Amino acid sequence: MSEFKDKRTVVTGAAGTVGRVVAQAFHDAGADVTGVDIVEYEAPYRTLVADLIDPEGARGAVAELGEIDILANIAGGFAMGDTIAETSDDTWDFMMNLNARTVLNMTRAVVPGMVARGSGKVVNIGARGALRGAAAMGAYVASKSVVIRLTETLADELKAKGINVNCILPSIIDTPTNRADMPKAKFSNWVPPEHIANVVLFLASSAADSVHGASIPVEALA
């Protein structure tokens, strides 16, 4: 029997390419999955529409779902092209809200229940590119850097309470959007979403009980 059997698992950004694969992987492993996104989509598990950029949206979603054993914060996005001097407030806010605020809001809504029960797993999605600055990617790398620092801080705050918090750092992920944006790239060198799901499930498993505050690279081949 899978250790995820009936584990109450929430996957954010579950209508997206990566989120959908992660949610399906948990479902296939026997977890009691809820996929949360701002849009409706069809799935063989429970889905919930919520705006996680809004703190009330996150709190409302968690209140509706009740106790949560595993939180996979997959919601996020990518934007580039502007120098720092050219970056608009809208672009900055969009990246910070989508990549960092969703993590903050869901964590604030979910963690108190995990603390009360003395157990829980939180897995966040950072980015390999967020380990240093990069030209024309300032808002994106800054927002994903926030995710890494939030992960480390939460891990320090929660590891003595029986809760694991870790994140993964993917390089380029093989998604339809990335293929459309970079049509001349060698797609076979990119990270398949299924590989992301494998690492998320590892970090949510008992095999990672002693892993706290890790940022695990999941690299493309080139």
Side-chain angles (χ1 to χ4, degrees), residues 6 23 45 63 70 85 88 90 120 135 138 143 151 157 168 186 195 204-205 210:
D6 297 328
Y45 45 81
I70 299 167
S88 67
D90 286 345
S143 65
T151 297
E157 294 170 348
I168 68 174
K186 189 175 181 180
H195 291 189
S205 75
S210 295

Side-chain angles (χ1 to χ4, degrees), residues 10-31:
V10 171
V11 178
T12 72
T17 300
V18 177
R20 192 182 293 261
V21 171
V22 170
Q24 186 65 49
F26 275 115
H27 175 71
D28 292 344

Side-chain angles (χ1 to χ4, degrees), residues 83-187:
T83 66
I84 292 295
E86 295 167 338
T87 297
S88 67
D89 288 345
D90 286 345
T91 297
W92 183 267
D93 291 344
F94 178 65
M95 285 287 92
M96 286 293 176
N97 285 337
L98 190 59
N99 291 327
R101 189 169 293 277
T102 56
V103 172
L104 175 65
N105 287 342
M106 282 301 290
T107 299
R108 291 188 296 189
V110 169
V111 162
M114 290 181 171
V115 171
R117 294 189 302 278
S119 65
K121 303 279 189 177
V122 179
V123 184
N124 300 322
I125 302 291
R128 190 75 173 93
L131 295 176
R132 65 180 304 277
M137 294 175 60
Y140 173 74
V141 298
S143 65
K144 286 297 191 179
S145 294
V146 171
V147 174
I148 298 171
R149 300 288 90 83
L150 282 174
T151 297
E152 294 165 347
T153 301
L154 284 163
D156 277 358
E157 294 170 348
L158 298 172
K159 60 186 176 182
K161 303 179 188 297
I163 300 165
N164 296 78
V165 186
N166 296 286
C167 73
I168 68 174
L169 307 181
S171 54
I172 301 174
I173 304 172
D174 189 1
T175 67
T177 299
N178 283 340
R179 287 193 178 209
D181 290 343
M182 295 173 274
K184 296 182 179 180
K186 189 175 181 180
F187 305 143

